[in-house]
Amino acid sequence: FTLTDHTGKTVTDKDFTGKYRLMYFGFTYCPAICPTELSKITAALNKMGDSGKEILPMFITVDPERDTPSIMKSYVTLFHPSLVGLSGTPEQTKAVLKHYKIYAAKREDPKMSDYTMDHSSFVYFIGPDDRLLHIFKMEDNAETMADIMTRWTAAP
């Protein structure tokens, strides 16, 4: 993928090769699920102590119309200090969602003045070699995430 990080820098997926990554797809206007999942990611990395510093948390928007780099910058600071926020054009976003098999759709309600986004809610744990190591579901808690990631990062 080619996207823009929360500092305004253009990045590609290759910029993150060589690092463990936790990738979550959501949107900044999400009222409950996204902040809960990002808080869980933060808690899991904190539970890991120093080994958690080896893992780069990433938040990729499914709502490129509203989630500009400046909006992402304000949002990611609410969570883990290493969290990278990524956004892009609608075309770039569609390509990354397709690649990672993420469902996302705008949901408009005539009773509301704004729209929301329906989307899948998984956390992808990717290895330094770009291989998918684990997919965490909403039911997984921070302890489970930390245990699984610790096993991978401690492996010889």
Side-chain angles (χ1 to χ4, degrees):
F1 60 78
T2 299
L3 295 169
T4 303
D5 75 10
H6 65 272
T7 68
K9 179 182 170 194
T10 300
V11 296
T12 73
D13 52 315
K14 299 302 175 217
D15 291 319
F16 304 106
T17 296
K19 299 175 185 173
Y20 285 100
R21 286 153 280 163
L22 269 181
M23 297 173 68
Y24 182 71
F25 295 82
F27 64 112
T28 63
Y29 287 78
C30 182
I33 307 266
C34 298
T36 299
E37 290 300 293
L38 291 171
S39 294
K40 186 167 57 174
I41 287 169
T42 299
L45 293 174
N46 289 341
K47 285 181 184 308
M48 293 177 69
D50 285 342
S51 63
K53 294 176 183 171
E54 296 178 44
I55 301 169
L56 179 67
M58 302 168 74
F59 176 61
I60 301 175
T61 187
V62 300
D63 185 11
E65 290 179 39
R66 292 184 291 195
D67 290 342
T68 63
S70 62
I71 296 289
M72 294 292 274
K73 184 175 185 175
S74 297
Y75 191 73
V76 298
T77 61
L78 301 173
F79 302 98
H80 196 274
S82 299
L83 182 61
V84 173
L86 298 172
S87 58
T89 66
E91 295 78 22
Q92 289 171 322
T93 302
K94 186 176 181 180
V96 74
L97 296 179
K98 182 178 179 182
H99 179 78
Y100 286 96
K101 297 177 177 39
I102 296 293
Y103 165 78
K106 186 187 277 191
R107 174 77 60 195
E108 298 189 68
D109 184 339
K111 298 175 196 153
M112 295 171 52
S113 61
D114 213 348
Y115 65 91
T116 189
M117 297 291 294
D118 286 343
H119 64 92
S120 332
S121 186
F122 300 106
V123 179
Y124 293 93
F125 183 42
I126 313 269
D129 59 356
D130 298 327
R131 188 169 49 111
L132 177 63
L133 303 177
H134 195 88
I135 298 175
F136 295 105
K137 298 180 176 103
M138 286 176 48
E139 302 81 43
D140 293 318
N141 60 32
E143 291 80 15
T144 299
M145 292 176 75
D147 289 346
I148 290 170
M149 291 186 295
T150 297
R151 284 198 299 265
W152 278 102
T153 58

